[in-house]
Amino acid sequence: MNNKELFKRVDNNKRINMIQDFLLPETYLNKVLKMHQQTTWHLPYNWDTFKDPELYDWCELVADTEVLPDYVEERIQLSPVSTAQVNTTRSLREYKKDFQISDSDLSNILFNSFGRHKDTLAKNYPSAGGLYPIIAVLIVLDKNKTPFLKHEGSYVYDSRENELLLLKKFTEEDINKFHKCVDMPWEVPDIAMAYAMDIKRATTKYKFRGYRHALIEVGLMAQSFRNSLWDMNNFGECCWSGFSDNALTHLLGLSPRLAPVALLQWFGEKE
């Protein structure tokens, strides 16, 4: 990128921020931020919330069932299909400890998941108003997993340029802090995607409805990433929300107030 293009991008960002501040009053933004904070967790959890025996009974009854109406006017049986036609798999819990991912494989996975069409600039998943308020962040806790990267740290994926932008280098202390603010009951690979919400971008046009759109988009992105990993045959993933929201977001180099992490998605090579 030459200096002329860089200055143009900076000027555009200033103009975007000025218009956004006019369209999104501070009082309205504060309402959304207050609502968001009611959804956050802080480790350690209040495990008493999960100790009710009736809760476990209910979960056992509900797991892997459908939400269906109590009353219907008619049932129509569709043509029989083979369950082998359903190309799905469960979340992956066991990964190879010493796997590595190449530059070309990671590039294909990220671009197929979050890249833009060369003509329309649309991505592989829909976004309300074409706003794309969710930031895809690659987390690398062990650079041996990605030998083409020089540093452990957090990297923002630029879908237009198909580039990784180093957001924050991780020290050994940062990695220890990461493990303290993410609660995992089993061993996971040292690489993950994080999905952070630009709350101002999400709510400027659609207000509170935009917050809902953004959460939907997180799910769509995670599924798009999952599909790209399945295409690699030997890779899998696991979505996770068991983390201290504000602490993790800050650790990645993002603003807990304006760009909170909504979801983690571990990924790696199958055992």
Side-chain angles (χ1 to χ4, degrees), residues 103-251:
D103 179 2
S104 59
D105 282 347
L106 184 60
S107 179
N108 284 328
I109 291 169
L110 291 176
F111 189 78
N112 290 337
S113 303
F114 315 125
R116 293 178 179 271
H117 189 278
K118 63 179 180 178
D119 297 323
T120 65
L121 297 183
K123 297 190 180 185
N124 199 30
Y125 53 90
S127 178
L131 300 175
Y132 298 109
I134 306 304
I135 306 163
V137 183
L138 176 70
I139 302 170
V140 179
L141 301 176
D142 180 359
K143 64 183 179 183
N144 291 321
K145 293 288 189 292
T146 53
F148 55 93
L149 295 177
K150 295 179 180 178
H151 308 286
E152 285 91 359
S154 57
Y155 297 80
V156 171
Y157 179 63
D158 182 344
S159 62
R160 283 178 179 267
E161 306 295 335
N162 194 37
E163 292 179 340
L164 288 174
L165 313 177
L166 178 59
L167 184 63
K168 181 182 176 182
K169 295 178 188 176
F170 285 172
T171 63
E172 188 174 338
E173 184 182 0
D174 289 329
I175 294 173
N176 289 335
K177 286 181 179 178
F178 181 94
H179 289 298
K180 286 181 180 178
C181 64
V182 178
D183 180 48
M184 290 301 303
W186 59 82
E187 191 173 354
V188 291
D190 293 316
I191 186 169
M193 291 302 301
Y195 301 97
M197 183 196 306
D198 183 329
I199 290 185
K200 291 183 74 173
R201 178 177 285 225
T203 56
T204 296
K205 181 176 180 180
Y206 296 110
K207 303 303 186 285
F208 277 108
R209 190 75 162 191
Y211 186 86
R212 186 163 93 177
H213 290 160
L215 292 179
I216 293 169
E217 189 166 319
V218 169
L220 294 169
M221 291 176 71
Q223 184 62 48
S224 182
F225 189 69
R226 192 181 206 199
N227 292 344
S228 296
L229 289 168
W230 286 348
D231 290 341
M232 300 292 291
N233 294 321
N234 59 329
F235 277 80
E237 54 68 56
C238 173
C239 289
W240 195 251
S241 71
F243 51 82
S244 293
D245 299 56
N246 295 338
L248 175 63
T249 302
H250 182 266
L251 186 60

Side-chain angles (χ1 to χ4, degrees), residues 41-53 55-56 180 182-186 240-244:
W41 283 1
H42 306 276
L43 297 182
Y45 305 132
N46 177 11
W47 286 108
D48 291 340
T49 306
F50 302 99
K51 287 181 179 176
D52 191 331
L55 176 62
Y56 288 96
K180 286 181 180 178
V182 178
D183 180 48
M184 290 301 303
W186 59 82
W240 195 251
S241 71
F243 51 82
S244 293

